[in-house]
Amino acid sequence: MVYGRSSQRQRPVEPVTLKILVAGGFGVGKTTLVGAVSEIRPLRTEEMLSEAGRPVDDVDGVEGKTTTTVAMDFGRITLREDLVLYVFGTPGQDRFWFLWDELAQGALGAVVLADTRRLADSFAAVDYFERRAIPFTVAVNCFEGAGRFPAETVRAALDLDPEVPLVMCDARERESVKEVLVTVVEHAMTRAALQREHAAATTT
């Protein structure tokens, strides 16, 4: 018996899942970014800021912030039928940095979310991913009222390598965040391809 095309069932596409981290200073908008782009209800581990934590929680510039992430944020976005991103937001405060090593395992790449009002808060995340050779993109969250600077000025202030992408974004807008994530994936894939070419060249 011969079956026509219409009677043949196509196998569903099994998507590739990739892990992306979102890091940066306290109050920079990581939880907002994950929530804006996630197609599922994001998992959040936020707690209220307490008086006991005020000596160690630097709220200068984000005085209106009342909660903080104590473990991680988690969301998911389907970029294509065959590509799904799991997005993990890291805690921004120093005392929770021990969690970063756990979250970084298996990550394809990362976003360093930056605020021009507190740019120095981005240094720790930039250093972390550079030391571990994890591809990352810097995304400047354009807060209302914050100074707007040319990308090259921000790049110089953060002392970024030329190949590190730097983009402007609005962490509240899904399409803006999606563009940031696409940039991270493309950068990581390009770097992986260059590393494979280099490895092949050195073995021939």
Side-chain angles (χ1 to χ4, degrees), residues 21-25 28 33 109-116 119 121-127 129-130 134-142 150-170 176 179-181 183-185 187:
L21 299 186
V22 180
V28 77
L33 183 148
V111 177
V112 175
L113 196 59
D115 178 356
T116 56
L119 204 55
D121 291 355
S122 305
F123 292 150
V126 169
D127 290 344
F129 296 123
E130 285 181 343
I134 297 175
F136 67 96
T137 292
V138 173
V140 178
N141 192 9
C142 298
E152 290 308 312
T153 300
V154 179
R155 178 181 294 278
L158 292 174
D159 194 24
L160 298 177
D161 291 336
E163 67 271 14
V164 175
L166 186 145
V167 296
M168 304 297 170
C169 77
D170 185 336
S176 180
E179 290 178 11
V180 171
L181 296 178
T183 301
V184 176
V185 172
H187 174 53

Side-chain angles (χ1 to χ4, degrees), residues 74 76 101 126 204:
F74 171 76
R76 184 187 72 197
D101 288 340
V126 169
T204 56

Side-chain angles (χ1 to χ4, degrees), residues 6 67 74 173 193:
S6 60
T67 61
F74 171 76
E173 299 292 336

